[in-house]
Amino acid sequence: MSAKTINVVCVAGARPNFMKIAPLMHEFKKIGSVDAILVHTGQHYDKNMSDRFFQDLDIPAPDVNLEVGSGSQSCQTAQIMKKFEPVLEREKPDVVIVVGDVNSTIACALVAAKSGVKVAHVEAGLRSFDRTMPEEVNRVLTDAISDYLFTTEPSAKKNLLREGIDEDKIYFVGNVMIDTLLKFRARAEKSSILDTLGLSPKSYALLTLHRPSNVDDEKDLSNIVAALSDIRKRIKIVFPMHPRTRERFAAFGLFQDANTADNLLITEPLGYLDFMKLMNGSQLVMTDSGGIQEETTILQIPCVTLRNNTERPITVEAGTNTVVGTDREKITSAVLRLIRDGCPGKRAPELWDGKAAERIVRIIVGMAKPEGKDEDTSAVVSPHKLDR
Ligand code: UD1
């Protein structure tokens, strides 16, 4: 008698989801007993924010695209829920896998939980303890209704236990985003983006900025821009600009100065391979992204986080990440110090070894109890044998 086929629906919606879902889709493909489909919610839809990642990371075209597009926090979340429910009714999966902390994550997790379908959350338990961030609300709620909570670092398990999550649901598996980085690192090195932008290695700082808390508030954004004008006197800044940030720059009249500023190069959002090459070639990175804090930890590039907190404390412990907030002087002095001293390199966080997706898939496969004695159980590893 053969093992039951497990039906899995994987969800991706916004840019940082694509590099997390890619290794899972690739692993599922290798396993005969899993039928996995990919649902793209369409939260991000520009070529630069979506299609390019599917090409760069060899992700098969989504089986379903909900095409929800942009909207307010609540409208976007509600739209995704409305359009995802019929997909679940049709597909009747055993498990829905959601990744990260975007609106697509909570929307699809909630529909699955209400439909009696098991939810697996990849990157569970991260907490900034700042409920004004939409991502924090998404994290807490998704974890509360998940059946499988896959974590990337030890702090996550502590956070989940504090919130009353059953320990048996928590699996420490490593970091799928790092699986992608390690897999595509050599390919990214072949990108010609430095030549295209006229840059030489280690001659520039790389900047990304898109959090509502940083770019929607005129005072905070102007403060960051003022710090950048200090830093530009010492090092060139390369700034691939997120669409939200572009809108805010236009609304606050910040483009007049930015377009003529010395030592500031603003580009469109870049694909995965070009961005990875640019990051690896930079002297340091300034960012408010979560994933970039993790990627710089593996690449051993100093990272200055332009937020007052991080949900990824392991990146600070690893020595590469400095959380500085949005104060002009603090940003400038941290950047100048890093230009002078660099950052101490320590060893990579535990289990950030390129095998996280493999561990997750084994646990998901372990869901399906073989019907009777089965000869094909070699791929099934008891979750209890895995490191928690
Ligand atoms: C979302 C995530 C954030 C993640 C980020 C990565 C939530 C709550 N936030 O923020 O956690 O770090 O993605 O980029 O889910 N837009 C375009 N083209 C696109 C997508 C967006 O022009 O393809 C513009 C739209 O004007 C939109 C704005 O960007 O209103 C913001 O997009 P949205 O998906 O609402 O959130 P992000 O700021 O991208």
Side-chain angles (χ1 to χ4, degrees):
M1 203 183 283
S2 64
K4 171 179 173 259
T5 298
I6 307 167
N7 293 317
V8 177
V9 167
C10 297
V11 174
R15 185 170 61 175
N17 290 166
F18 305 133
M19 38 286 220
K20 294 172 193 166
I21 216 72
L24 290 166
M25 293 305 293
H26 292 141
E27 281 301 318
F28 279 129
K29 238 187 160 174
K30 291 188 202 160
I31 309 250
S33 56
V34 177
D35 194 358
I37 68 161
L38 178 60
V39 174
H40 188 332
T41 65
Q43 176 175 346
H44 285 172
Y45 43 88
D46 282 356
K47 195 172 182 321
N48 285 339
M49 300 291 286
S50 176
D51 302 5
R52 186 80 195 271
F53 289 80
F54 281 76
Q55 289 155 17
D56 279 1
L57 303 175
D58 300 332
I59 311 173
D63 298 276
V64 179
N65 193 325
L66 305 180
E67 297 182 340
V68 295
S70 300
S72 69
Q73 290 289 326
S74 298
C75 278
Q76 187 177 57
T77 308
Q79 271 294 100
I80 299 168
M81 289 182 70
K82 237 173 124 175
K83 292 195 163 188
F84 188 57
E85 190 171 36
V87 177
L88 277 201
E89 279 167 9
R90 193 174 66 233
E91 298 294 332
K92 300 193 182 8
D94 298 292
V95 61
V96 168
I97 301 187
V98 294
V99 296
D101 56 16
V102 302
N103 289 339
S104 302
T105 311
I106 177 61
C108 295
L110 192 48
V111 174
K114 281 175 176 285
S115 311
V117 177
K118 287 200 181 332
V119 179
H121 184 204
V122 175
E123 207 181 83
L126 298 179
R127 296 290 181 269
S128 67
F129 304 102
D130 176 1
R131 294 265 174 116
T132 66
M133 293 175 75
E135 294 84 0
E136 182 75 352
V137 175
N138 294 341
R139 289 181 197 118
V140 172
L141 297 182
T142 303
D143 287 339
I145 55 174
S146 290
D147 302 280
Y148 294 81
L149 296 104
F150 296 116
T151 63
T152 53
E153 60 167 283
S155 73
K157 182 173 175 180
K158 286 190 199 135
N159 295 334
L160 293 169
L161 294 178
R162 197 182 315 109
E163 289 170 19
I165 305 284
D166 185 349
E167 187 170 3
D168 284 348
K169 295 180 179 174
I170 305 170
Y171 304 94
F172 177 35
V173 291
N175 192 324
V176 284
M177 195 165 213
I178 301 305
D179 290 5
T180 294
L181 184 148
L182 296 176
K183 180 170 174 188
F184 288 92
R185 201 171 172 177
R187 201 188 286 185
E189 271 311 300
K190 295 190 185 131
S191 154
S192 55
I193 189 72
L194 293 194
D195 293 339
T196 306
L197 298 179
L199 298 166
S200 48
K202 304 296 167 192
S203 69
Y204 60 92
L206 181 62
L207 169 70
T208 80
L209 210 56
H210 74 276
R211 294 273 164 206
S213 55
N214 280 341
V215 301
D216 288 1
D217 183 286
E218 186 168 4
K219 193 166 150 274
D220 279 347
L221 186 57
S222 304
N223 209 17
I224 293 173
V225 169
L228 298 179
S229 66
D230 298 336
I231 294 162
R232 284 192 286 109
K233 291 179 190 139
R234 289 292 305 279
I235 189 165
K236 183 169 197 142
I237 298 173
V238 182
F239 186 8
M241 204 181 250
H242 187 284
R244 170 193 280 281
T245 312
R246 190 168 280 280
E247 277 173 19
R248 298 291 90 199
F249 260 64
F252 300 147
L254 292 168
F255 268 126
Q256 285 94 325
D257 289 344
N259 280 334
T260 53
D262 287 338
N263 261 353
L264 176 63
L265 176 60
I266 297 177
T267 75
E268 291 297 313
L270 298 169
Y272 183 80
L273 300 174
D274 286 345
F275 188 79
M276 198 54 55
K277 170 83 178 185
L278 208 50
M279 187 154 55
N280 205 22
S282 69
Q283 194 170 135
L284 63 99
V285 173
M286 296 173 275
T287 191
D288 58 8
S289 148
I292 291 172
Q293 296 172 48
E294 299 182 333
E295 288 163 342
T296 45
T297 293
I298 293 299
L299 295 173
Q300 292 281 299
I301 302 286
C303 176
V304 174
T305 295
L306 308 176
R307 287 171 42 192
N308 292 317
N309 52 53
T310 178
E311 60 287 331
R312 294 160 159 93
I314 194 113
T315 59
V316 177
E317 288 158 31
T320 47
N321 189 14
T322 314
V323 180
V324 297
T326 54
D327 177 78
R328 176 179 182 169
E329 270 78 40
K330 284 191 183 146
I331 298 172
T332 308
S333 66
V335 168
L336 296 184
R337 185 174 48 76
L338 285 169
I339 290 174
R340 196 184 60 228
D341 302 340
C343 69
K346 297 193 190 148
R347 71 185 177 89
E350 196 185 349
L351 298 189
W352 290 19
D353 57 1
K355 294 184 180 148
E358 197 181 309
R359 296 185 186 101
I360 291 169
V361 168
R362 281 186 188 174
I363 293 165
I364 299 282
V365 168
M367 273 174 62
K369 299 274 173 282
E371 292 162 5
K373 201 168 159 36
D374 194 304
E375 72 284 1
D376 182 31
T377 52
S378 54
V380 181
V381 171
S382 160
H384 299 282
K385 284 191 192 156
L386 283 158
D387 200 353
R388 288 182 171 222

